[in-house]
Amino acid sequence: MCTAITYKTKNFYFGRTLDLEYSYSEEVVIMPKKFSFPLRHSKTRARKYAIIGTAFVPDTIPLFYDAANEAGLCMAGLNFPENAKYNKVNENRTNVAQFELIPFILGNCADTEEAVKLIRKINITDTAYSRKLPLTDLHWIIADKNECVTVECVADGVKIYDNTAGVLTNNPPFNMQTFNLNNYINLSPGQPKNTFSSKLELKNYTKGLGAAGLPGDLSSQARFVRAVFTKLNSVSGKSEEQSVNQFFHILGSVSQPRGSNRLDGDKYEITVYTSCCNASDGVYYYTTYGNHRINAVDIRKVNLQSDELYRYPHINKESFNKQN
Amino acid sequence: MCTAITYKTKNFYFGRTLDLEYSYSEEVVIMPKKFSFPLRHSKTRARKYAIIGTAFVPDTIPLFYDAANEAGLCMAGLNFPENAKYNKVNENRTNVAQFELIPFILGNCADTEEAVKLIRKINITDTAYSRKLPLTDLHWIIADKNECVTVECVADGVKIYDNTAGVLTNNPPFNMQTFNLNNYINLSPGQPKNTFSSKLELKNYTKGLGAAGLPGDLSSQARFVRAVFTKLNSVSGKSEEQSVNQFFHILGSVSQPRGSNRLDGDKYEITVYTSCCNASDGVYYYTTYGNHRINAVDIRKVNLQSDELYRYPHINKESFNKQN
Amino acid sequence: MCTAITYKTKNFYFGRTLDLEYSYSEEVVIMPKKFSFPLRHSKTRARKYAIIGTAFVPDTIPLFYDAANEAGLCMAGLNFPENAKYNKVNENRTNVAQFELIPFILGNCADTEEAVKLIRKINITDTAYSRKLPLTDLHWIIADKNECVTVECVADGVKIYDNTAGVLTNNPPFNMQTFNLNNYINLSPGQPKNTFSSKLELKNYTKGLGAAGLPGDLSSQARFVRAVFTKLNSVSGKSEEQSVNQFFHILGSVSQPRGSNRLDGDKYEITVYTSCCNASDGVYYYTTYGNHRINAVDIRKVNLQSDELYRYPHINKESFNKQN
Amino acid sequence: MCTAITYKTKNFYFGRTLDLEYSYSEEVVIMPKKFSFPLRHSKTRARKYAIIGTAFVPDTIPLFYDAANEAGLCMAGLNFPENAKYNKVNENRTNVAQFELIPFILGNCADTEEAVKLIRKINITDTAYSRKLPLTDLHWIIADKNECVTVECVADGVKIYDNTAGVLTNNPPFNMQTFNLNNYINLSPGQPKNTFSSKLELKNYTKGLGAAGLPGDLSSQARFVRAVFTKLNSVSGKSEEQSVNQFFHILGSVSQPRGSNRLDGDKYEITVYTSCCNASDGVYYYTTYGNHRINAVDIRKVNLQSDELYRYPHINKESFNKQN
């Protein structure tokens, strides 16, 4: 399914894995302020901020998977199957279709606080993009350099949770995911002392034993625990290269190799792509399953006042560096 | 510590992670047949095969961590702390110092069978390379495209185990590692059916739940189980690019992010480098912690009759591919 | 903390463990219909049903831990620390103090359906019994031979959940406990087949490996999973002796030996007592930590029209059967 | 399968569970010194010590499962399937059939040291008792109040291991079982502090979380870990009643409820009986699956110079104590 994280060194970074058994043609897309993105149920308004992120562009408008805006606000939608419950259109409210939510929020809000206020005002609807692209069950992580929240539309209404760890995966609902972390309270990145029994000599026969009990499968709860553990204990330098490098190492801990997660019909869920956006500068880095090298697209290199999309198809082929 | 695996598609691949809290200056080294490698305790003999691998070259001769020879035989040494017991020099036998073992075997043997025969004949000694580079506790994985074994010098003598899974990590001894796999017999890469109780409705709320129970920490037993699971269930194409790509994904499942494995003195064990040698063609691929891009050195591009080493220092810096 | 279960063979059984680091003077108490139990906030009404259960009798009235009534309805209160949120007294409603809830429900309801209706009508208050016996954070399991529910007063209001498994322990809230069972979907009481990998020979070197992954600690989530697994897979005869015998074996799987659960101040949480009430006949069986033998008190042997309590102090001393 | 433990307070206690899917007619048997126990392959010698234990008596001689002698030496045989390798009869040595080993050792040795010396001298043979009672794969725990060892006849020869924990279950071989304890080094009977991450507030939402990760299934490795943890952390008084009571609580942690361990043909492995012998005084306590009450047979009450067996069939029926 997917994992998203935030990471802060000198700059603020935000990214995710997209784990699926298929892939559309993902692209890095820069959406300038004047690009026309007509809303289904509301009057289309001018957007304040340009956006960079990964999207699928079925026709003319981009369907964003994760993105950041010029102001440093970031947002990603992750699978939330059977738990997401969107609303019907309500004529008395500002209706925003689920697939419009990322550009709507990032186009108009400068930080998480503004995003939360705006979400409380709007009505997120169950409008499908098209017959071929039906409604997807999602929940969202929204973050800037100071704050991070999770937004879930469930049967009970819209829930907005503080996301202290800065991590999101999938099911179950976020309050259950965070509660479950308590069960790993006695794990440690350090080397353990014997607390099993003072009457027995035990030994650290290997480094890494302090985290024995950390789940290693690819279920959404296991990935949540592992990503939180890896991220919160992460150590890296603060330079751009060091930060981006470490970010991909953190998400590497929840990456899905082909074969380990077999679906019916002998399909395999894999990590289609992994992204890391420097939200302070607007540089979007990514790798794909087929390409270990880190690619980069820089929002500062295009005209953000334009009315056209800038599109950079994901590169999904290894580029070996031949040393001889 | 470390993890080594074999992988076979159209060609045969062999590689490993090196997990340490420090790093010497690792290099890819090609050692042609006529390069002089004087043995400490035996008459130096001509070598039949050139070798390519990662080594540290303290003075003039390479100390190989993992390597392959022209004939397609591969070998790597992995940490085996407190379990490795080497012999004293025995004048009546062919003595091979522990640090000479990889070039000795790969220089003279065409396949695993020959390697096993030769190991049974020689006396592996506890000779240190130098005062600064003391003896290391190691065990070895030796493989060609048809066969794989683990070699351990323990208190009981030299043990040579069939290595069906084609995976090696560290402690405990290999027979315990393989026995431990039985404890994961009911894990699966597929999606599970409810066998807990027919009286209860349970649901697959996430993909990947069939492998619940797979250990996720960085201890050597956990990495062994995870690497075996990931490798044996791996699915990939057979082309060079597909095979190498998948190989790095498999070893990615046991990669060590900085921070998750904290040693005393606030040092951190990380995956210093990851290698993948196409042993059929003699192309050695690797990544480093600091560089996600895959680098390649090709044995076919140099003169294998030479008497000099060819040396290619590991590149440890990201090389972002700027798409705009 | 505690575990409660239901069990049905020919008759219906209900019981629990009480796990604490101390013990009041528990007694089996039979409370006939005319025994005066004055309510704190409401007019005391006549009770329809006599009650049998374990209680602490601080002064004149019994504080029930678990009990059954003549009609076969059963109820137990289990620790629910920091999650239980009771109401203030509300003059417009029928107020029932938390400590009055068991006798109030069992005194007036014939089955779970009636109990649920009554609970929806009343206001459960945070009234403490006395200064010395302050408010306890509890949630409840209510069951008859056909149905079982969990009742929780939380910040959100009163939640009543179907309890299909017929098991209750403690934190977290019941919806999280039941969700967590999904994580054990691939466990089985049967002997496992190898689904790890067809490329590896694994073997069932021991019976019982199908349930590898079942948690063995004494936390409330672990006890919940273990009790559900043990109960739902339980196999027993239907006679009174066979049923009661098996009931104590099921609860034995979550029993707390002294020493395994050490609290601050070197206190130890232990299973103070374990009960099993045949709710069809009104026979209350129990063991104590200090006494493995099963003791029995029969409601049919006393005058249920009486206005006095019948009290049988728990026996906490082994009674060895000397065979020679 | 089975679990055996030792326990020392003021006196020394030794006992085991017998876990099987069937049961012969077990009895407590006292075998006086002069009772004739003819050896198959050796001259029958006078025995120094009378023995008390549980045995099956197919014809005239007892086949002991676990027993103690007058001197306080204890021994039990536990299943060791496919790993036990006994010898052929060797005319040059003292041959002792596997089924004779317990009475042979306990009849002649005063303590563990003597037992170890004697075992090193003899040849343990693969002689079956009869056609109907074929050879059983066993290993043994031998203990007195000062010392405990495990004895295993494997392909490599006879192995005698110090058993510091004083616990034995079944497969794998004992050195692997004890190594595996290292994997639980960070478990604790105490309440855990948060070592997962200082950047996250986690809470002890339940008592008992310090042992999260303790295995809860009925496999022989899980029972070994759980029994060692429970025994080594056990806290009890020193009186006879307190000691025996606690002993049964410890073994209760590895007891097998009917249904949790289902074999082919819908048979169920259960804990047929649990024993606890006060080896200092020669009092043998036991419970059966069908009877929670503790029964006792006292060696001091019979004539130990007799030449006849004293036999006390196991009681397998609940004896409820009716309190009214």
Side-chain angles (χ1 to χ4, degrees):
Chain A
M1 301 169 88
C2 315
T3 309
I5 64 166
T6 64
Y7 195 58
K8 199 177 165 186
T9 57
K10 209 176 56 185
N11 290 316
F12 178 67
Y13 300 86
F14 177 94
R16 60 94 60 82
T17 62
L18 180 82
D19 304 330
L20 281 175
E21 70 274 25
Y22 56 86
S23 117
Y24 292 109
S25 302
E26 288 85 13
E27 312 178 11
V28 179
V29 169
I30 301 176
M31 185 166 91
K33 282 172 249 203
K34 297 198 177 136
F35 172 78
S36 165
F37 194 114
L39 298 180
R40 291 285 169 97
H41 308 293
S42 309
K43 211 174 62 185
T44 304
R45 39 171 149 176
R47 289 189 312 279
K48 295 186 201 165
Y49 306 108
I51 297 171
I52 185 169
T54 284
F56 167 53
V57 187
D59 304 304
T60 53
I61 70 157
L63 302 176
F64 280 104
Y65 296 176
D66 60 284
N69 71 13
E70 285 174 274
L73 181 64
C74 305
M75 186 167 175
L78 283 82
N79 261 309
F80 192 43
E82 298 184 42
N83 279 309
K85 306 286 171 208
Y86 307 116
N87 293 322
K88 296 290 164 198
V89 171
N90 177 335
E91 296 304 331
N92 301 317
R93 302 188 59 189
T94 302
N95 297 293
V96 178
Q98 172 253 284
F99 65 85
E100 297 164 345
L101 194 62
I102 291 181
F104 185 82
I105 297 296
L106 295 187
N108 294 295
C109 303
D111 59 22
T112 305
E113 199 182 336
E114 283 185 32
V116 167
K117 276 186 196 155
L118 186 52
I119 285 171
R120 291 204 194 282
K121 278 190 204 151
I122 63 176
N123 186 45
I124 302 171
T125 72
D126 61 1
T127 317
Y129 178 77
S130 67
R131 281 206 194 158
K132 282 194 185 157
L133 292 170
L135 198 63
T136 316
D137 286 352
L138 297 176
H139 56 174
W140 294 273
I141 178 170
I142 301 177
D144 58 40
K145 67 185 170 194
N146 297 315
E147 207 183 343
C148 180
V149 297
T150 296
V151 176
E152 299 187 335
C153 301
V154 292
D156 255 16
V158 175
K159 305 277 180 187
I160 301 178
Y161 299 100
D162 273 336
N163 188 333
T164 320
V167 175
L168 187 67
T169 63
N170 315 101
N171 283 337
F174 194 67
N175 58 328
M176 291 197 190
Q177 288 274 31
T178 50
F179 176 81
N180 184 45
L181 292 173
N182 293 312
N183 291 313
Y184 302 92
I185 190 170
N186 66 341
L187 268 54
S188 164
Q191 308 310 306
K193 301 263 179 296
N194 175 6
T195 51
F196 185 90
S197 165
S198 57
K199 294 171 189 156
L200 204 63
E201 265 186 63
L202 296 177
K203 67 193 237 184
N204 272 342
Y205 68 90
T206 173
K207 287 159 189 164
L209 210 45
L214 195 67
D217 61 286
L218 297 173
S219 70
S220 44
Q221 276 208 323
R223 281 182 288 106
F224 187 75
V225 176
R226 210 152 70 243
V228 171
F229 182 80
T230 308
K231 181 204 149 170
L232 292 188
N233 291 307
S234 170
V235 172
S236 76
K238 291 176 180 300
S239 76
E240 180 71 357
E241 186 186 321
Q242 289 168 324
S243 304
V244 172
N245 173 268
Q246 181 70 6
F247 194 102
F248 282 97
H249 281 293
I250 297 170
L251 280 183
S253 71
V254 290
S255 182
Q256 306 215 19
R258 192 186 300 106
S260 290
N261 200 347
R262 188 181 65 228
L263 311 186
D264 292 340
D266 278 347
K267 288 177 183 162
Y268 297 94
E269 192 170 285
I270 61 169
T271 295
V272 172
Y273 78 85
T274 306
S275 67
C276 164
C277 186
N278 174 336
S280 309
D281 290 344
V283 184
Y284 189 94
Y285 302 88
Y286 74 92
T287 58
T288 58
Y289 195 87
N291 181 13
H292 282 79
R293 188 180 187 185
I294 299 172
N295 302 285
V297 176
D298 190 336
I299 201 174
R300 295 166 302 188
K301 293 200 178 157
V302 305
N303 174 12
L304 299 182
Q305 303 301 330
S306 165
D307 60 359
E308 298 211 18
L309 288 187
Y310 293 86
R311 299 170 58 173
Y312 309 88
H314 275 196
I315 298 170
N316 196 21
K317 216 177 134 41
E318 292 293 358
S319 131
F320 299 134
N321 175 45
K322 299 183 182 176
Q323 267 185 281
N324 75 348
Chain B
M1 299 170 90
C2 315
T3 309
I5 64 165
T6 64
Y7 195 59
K8 199 177 165 187
T9 56
K10 207 176 56 185
N11 290 315
F12 178 67
Y13 301 87
F14 177 94
R16 61 94 59 83
T17 62
L18 180 82
D19 304 330
L20 281 175
E21 70 276 24
Y22 56 85
S23 117
Y24 293 110
S25 302
E26 288 85 13
E27 311 178 10
V28 179
V29 169
I30 301 175
M31 185 167 90
K33 282 171 247 201
K34 297 195 176 138
F35 171 78
S36 165
F37 194 115
L39 298 179
R40 291 284 169 98
H41 308 292
S42 309
K43 210 176 61 187
T44 303
R45 39 170 149 175
R47 289 189 312 280
K48 295 187 199 162
Y49 306 108
I51 298 171
I52 185 169
T54 283
F56 167 56
V57 187
D59 304 306
T60 54
I61 70 157
L63 302 177
F64 280 104
Y65 296 176
D66 60 284
N69 71 12
E70 287 174 273
L73 182 64
C74 305
M75 184 166 177
L78 282 83
N79 261 309
F80 193 43
E82 299 182 43
N83 279 310
K85 305 288 171 206
Y86 308 116
N87 293 323
K88 296 289 163 199
V89 170
N90 178 336
E91 296 303 332
N92 300 318
R93 302 188 58 189
T94 302
N95 296 294
V96 178
Q98 172 253 284
F99 65 86
E100 298 164 345
L101 195 63
I102 290 180
F104 184 83
I105 296 297
L106 294 187
N108 293 295
C109 303
D111 58 22
T112 305
E113 199 182 336
E114 284 186 31
V116 167
K117 276 186 194 152
L118 187 52
I119 285 172
R120 293 204 193 281
K121 277 189 203 151
I122 63 176
N123 187 45
I124 302 171
T125 72
D126 61 1
T127 317
Y129 178 78
S130 68
R131 281 206 193 159
K132 283 194 186 160
L133 290 170
L135 198 64
T136 316
D137 286 352
L138 297 177
H139 56 173
W140 294 273
I141 178 171
I142 301 177
D144 58 39
K145 66 184 171 196
N146 297 315
E147 207 181 344
C148 180
V149 298
T150 295
V151 176
E152 299 187 337
C153 301
V154 292
D156 255 16
V158 175
K159 305 279 181 187
I160 301 178
Y161 299 101
D162 274 336
N163 188 333
T164 320
V167 175
L168 187 67
T169 64
N170 316 100
N171 282 337
F174 193 68
N175 57 330
M176 291 198 191
Q177 288 276 29
T178 49
F179 176 80
N180 184 46
L181 292 173
N182 293 313
N183 291 313
Y184 301 93
I185 191 170
N186 64 342
L187 269 52
S188 163
Q191 309 310 306
K193 301 261 180 297
N194 175 7
T195 52
F196 185 90
S197 165
S198 57
K199 293 172 190 155
L200 204 62
E201 265 186 64
L202 296 177
K203 67 193 237 183
N204 273 342
Y205 68 91
T206 173
K207 288 159 187 165
L209 209 46
L214 194 69
D217 60 286
L218 298 172
S219 71
S220 44
Q221 276 207 325
R223 280 182 289 106
F224 187 74
V225 176
R226 211 152 68 242
V228 171
F229 181 80
T230 308
K231 180 203 149 170
L232 292 188
N233 291 307
S234 171
V235 172
S236 75
K238 291 174 180 303
S239 77
E240 180 72 356
E241 187 187 321
Q242 289 169 323
S243 304
V244 173
N245 171 269
Q246 181 70 6
F247 194 102
F248 282 96
H249 280 294
I250 297 169
L251 281 182
S253 72
V254 291
S255 182
Q256 305 214 19
R258 193 185 299 107
S260 290
N261 200 347
R262 188 182 66 229
L263 312 184
D264 291 341
D266 278 347
K267 288 175 183 163
Y268 297 93
E269 192 169 287
I270 61 168
T271 295
V272 172
Y273 77 85
T274 305
S275 66
C276 164
C277 187
N278 174 337
S280 310
D281 290 343
V283 184
Y284 189 94
Y285 302 88
Y286 74 92
T287 58
T288 58
Y289 195 86
N291 181 12
H292 282 79
R293 189 180 185 186
I294 299 171
N295 302 286
V297 176
D298 190 336
I299 202 173
R300 296 166 301 189
K301 294 202 177 155
V302 304
N303 174 10
L304 299 181
Q305 303 300 331
S306 165
D307 60 0
E308 299 210 17
L309 286 187
Y310 293 86
R311 299 170 58 173
Y312 309 87
H314 275 196
I315 298 169
N316 197 20
K317 219 178 131 40
E318 291 294 357
S319 132
F320 299 133
N321 175 45
K322 298 183 184 177
Q323 266 185 282
N324 75 348
Chain C
M1 299 168 91
C2 315
T3 309
I5 63 166
T6 64
Y7 195 58
K8 199 176 165 186
T9 56
K10 209 175 57 188
N11 289 315
F12 178 68
Y13 300 87
F14 177 94
R16 61 93 60 84
T17 62
L18 180 83
D19 303 330
L20 281 175
E21 71 273 24
Y22 55 87
S23 116
Y24 292 109
S25 302
E26 290 83 14
E27 312 178 11
V28 180
V29 170
I30 301 176
M31 185 167 91
K33 284 173 247 203
K34 296 195 177 141
F35 171 77
S36 165
F37 194 112
L39 298 179
R40 289 286 169 99
H41 307 294
S42 309
K43 214 175 58 183
T44 304
R45 39 172 150 175
R47 290 189 311 279
K48 294 187 200 164
Y49 306 108
I51 297 171
I52 184 168
T54 284
F56 168 54
V57 187
D59 303 305
T60 54
I61 70 157
L63 302 177
F64 280 104
Y65 296 175
D66 61 285
N69 71 13
E70 286 174 274
L73 181 65
C74 306
M75 186 168 176
L78 283 83
N79 260 308
F80 192 43
E82 298 183 42
N83 280 308
K85 305 289 170 205
Y86 307 116
N87 293 322
K88 297 289 162 197
V89 170
N90 178 335
E91 296 304 330
N92 301 318
R93 301 187 59 187
T94 302
N95 296 293
V96 178
Q98 173 254 285
F99 65 86
E100 297 164 346
L101 195 62
I102 291 180
F104 185 82
I105 297 296
L106 295 186
N108 294 295
C109 303
D111 58 23
T112 305
E113 199 183 335
E114 283 186 30
V116 167
K117 275 186 195 155
L118 186 52
I119 285 171
R120 291 204 194 281
K121 277 190 205 153
I122 63 176
N123 186 46
I124 302 172
T125 73
D126 62 1
T127 318
Y129 179 78
S130 68
R131 281 205 194 161
K132 284 192 185 161
L133 290 171
L135 198 63
T136 315
D137 287 351
L138 297 176
H139 57 174
W140 295 272
I141 178 171
I142 301 177
D144 59 40
K145 66 184 172 195
N146 297 316
E147 206 182 343
C148 180
V149 297
T150 296
V151 176
E152 299 187 337
C153 302
V154 291
D156 255 16
V158 176
K159 305 278 181 187
I160 302 178
Y161 299 101
D162 273 336
N163 188 332
T164 319
V167 175
L168 188 68
T169 64
N170 314 101
N171 283 338
F174 194 67
N175 57 329
M176 292 197 190
Q177 289 274 29
T178 49
F179 176 81
N180 183 47
L181 292 174
N182 293 313
N183 291 313
Y184 301 93
I185 190 169
N186 65 342
L187 269 53
S188 164
Q191 309 309 307
K193 301 263 179 295
N194 175 6
T195 52
F196 185 90
S197 166
S198 57
K199 294 171 189 156
L200 203 65
E201 266 187 62
L202 295 177
K203 66 193 237 183
N204 272 342
Y205 68 91
T206 173
K207 288 160 188 165
L209 209 46
L214 195 69
D217 62 287
L218 298 172
S219 70
S220 43
Q221 276 207 324
R223 281 183 287 106
F224 188 74
V225 176
R226 211 152 69 244
V228 171
F229 182 80
T230 309
K231 180 203 149 170
L232 292 188
N233 291 305
S234 170
V235 172
S236 76
K238 292 175 179 301
S239 77
E240 179 72 356
E241 187 185 321
Q242 290 168 323
S243 305
V244 172
N245 172 268
Q246 180 70 6
F247 194 102
F248 281 96
H249 281 294
I250 297 170
L251 280 182
S253 72
V254 289
S255 183
Q256 306 215 18
R258 193 186 298 106
S260 290
N261 200 348
R262 187 181 67 229
L263 311 185
D264 292 340
D266 278 349
K267 288 174 183 165
Y268 297 93
E269 192 169 286
I270 61 168
T271 294
V272 172
Y273 76 86
T274 305
S275 67
C276 164
C277 186
N278 174 337
S280 309
D281 290 344
V283 184
Y284 189 94
Y285 302 89
Y286 74 92
T287 58
T288 58
Y289 195 88
N291 181 13
H292 282 79
R293 188 179 187 187
I294 300 171
N295 302 285
V297 176
D298 190 336
I299 201 173
R300 296 167 301 189
K301 294 201 177 154
V302 304
N303 174 10
L304 298 182
Q305 304 301 330
S306 164
D307 60 0
E308 300 211 15
L309 288 186
Y310 293 86
R311 299 171 59 173
Y312 309 88
H314 275 196
I315 298 169
N316 196 20
K317 219 179 132 38
E318 291 293 357
S319 132
F320 299 133
N321 175 45
K322 299 183 181 176
Q323 265 187 282
N324 76 346
Chain D
M1 300 168 90
C2 315
T3 308
I5 64 166
T6 64
Y7 195 59
K8 199 176 165 187
T9 57
K10 209 175 56 186
N11 289 315
F12 178 67
Y13 300 87
F14 177 93
R16 61 95 58 85
T17 61
L18 180 83
D19 304 329
L20 281 175
E21 71 275 24
Y22 56 86
S23 118
Y24 292 109
S25 303
E26 289 84 13
E27 311 178 10
V28 179
V29 169
I30 301 176
M31 185 166 91
K33 284 173 248 204
K34 297 197 175 139
F35 171 78
S36 165
F37 193 113
L39 297 179
R40 290 285 169 97
H41 308 293
S42 310
K43 212 175 59 185
T44 304
R45 37 170 150 176
R47 290 188 311 279
K48 296 185 198 164
Y49 306 108
I51 297 171
I52 185 169
T54 284
F56 167 55
V57 187
D59 302 306
T60 54
I61 71 157
L63 302 177
F64 280 104
Y65 296 176
D66 62 283
N69 71 12
E70 286 174 275
L73 182 64
C74 306
M75 185 168 176
L78 283 82
N79 260 309
F80 193 42
E82 297 182 43
N83 280 307
K85 306 287 170 206
Y86 307 116
N87 293 322
K88 298 288 163 199
V89 171
N90 177 336
E91 296 303 332
N92 301 318
R93 301 187 59 188
T94 302
N95 296 293
V96 179
Q98 172 254 283
F99 65 86
E100 297 165 346
L101 194 62
I102 290 181
F104 185 83
I105 297 296
L106 295 186
N108 294 295
C109 303
D111 58 23
T112 305
E113 201 183 335
E114 284 186 31
V116 167
K117 275 186 195 155
L118 186 53
I119 285 172
R120 292 205 192 281
K121 279 191 204 151
I122 63 177
N123 186 45
I124 302 171
T125 72
D126 61 2
T127 318
Y129 179 78
S130 68
R131 282 206 194 160
K132 283 193 186 162
L133 290 171
L135 198 63
T136 315
D137 286 352
L138 296 177
H139 56 173
W140 294 272
I141 178 171
I142 301 178
D144 59 39
K145 66 184 172 198
N146 297 315
E147 207 182 344
C148 180
V149 298
T150 296
V151 176
E152 299 186 336
C153 301
V154 291
D156 254 16
V158 175
K159 306 277 181 189
I160 301 179
Y161 299 100
D162 273 335
N163 188 332
T164 319
V167 174
L168 187 67
T169 63
N170 315 99
N171 284 338
F174 194 67
N175 57 331
M176 292 198 191
Q177 288 274 29
T178 50
F179 176 80
N180 183 46
L181 292 174
N182 293 312
N183 291 313
Y184 301 93
I185 190 170
N186 64 342
L187 268 54
S188 164
Q191 308 310 306
K193 301 263 179 296
N194 175 7
T195 52
F196 184 90
S197 165
S198 58
K199 293 171 191 155
L200 204 63
E201 265 187 65
L202 295 177
K203 66 195 239 182
N204 272 342
Y205 68 90
T206 172
K207 288 159 187 164
L209 210 46
L214 195 70
D217 62 286
L218 298 172
S219 70
S220 43
Q221 276 207 325
R223 280 182 287 106
F224 188 74
V225 176
R226 211 153 68 241
V228 171
F229 181 81
T230 309
K231 180 203 150 171
L232 292 188
N233 291 306
S234 170
V235 172
S236 75
K238 293 174 178 303
S239 77
E240 180 72 357
E241 186 186 321
Q242 289 168 324
S243 304
V244 172
N245 172 268
Q246 181 69 7
F247 194 102
F248 282 96
H249 281 293
I250 296 169
L251 281 182
S253 72
V254 290
S255 182
Q256 306 214 20
R258 192 186 299 107
S260 289
N261 200 348
R262 187 182 66 228
L263 312 185
D264 291 340
D266 278 347
K267 287 174 183 166
Y268 297 93
E269 191 169 286
I270 61 169
T271 295
V272 172
Y273 76 86
T274 305
S275 67
C276 164
C277 186
N278 174 337
S280 310
D281 290 343
V283 184
Y284 189 94
Y285 302 88
Y286 73 92
T287 57
T288 58
Y289 195 88
N291 181 12
H292 282 79
R293 190 180 185 186
I294 300 171
N295 302 285
V297 176
D298 190 336
I299 201 174
R300 296 167 301 189
K301 294 202 177 154
V302 306
N303 174 11
L304 298 181
Q305 304 300 331
S306 164
D307 60 0
E308 299 212 13
L309 287 186
Y310 294 85
R311 300 171 57 174
Y312 309 87
H314 275 197
I315 298 170
N316 197 20
K317 220 178 130 38
E318 291 293 358
S319 133
F320 299 133
N321 175 44
K322 298 185 182 175
Q323 265 186 281
N324 77 348

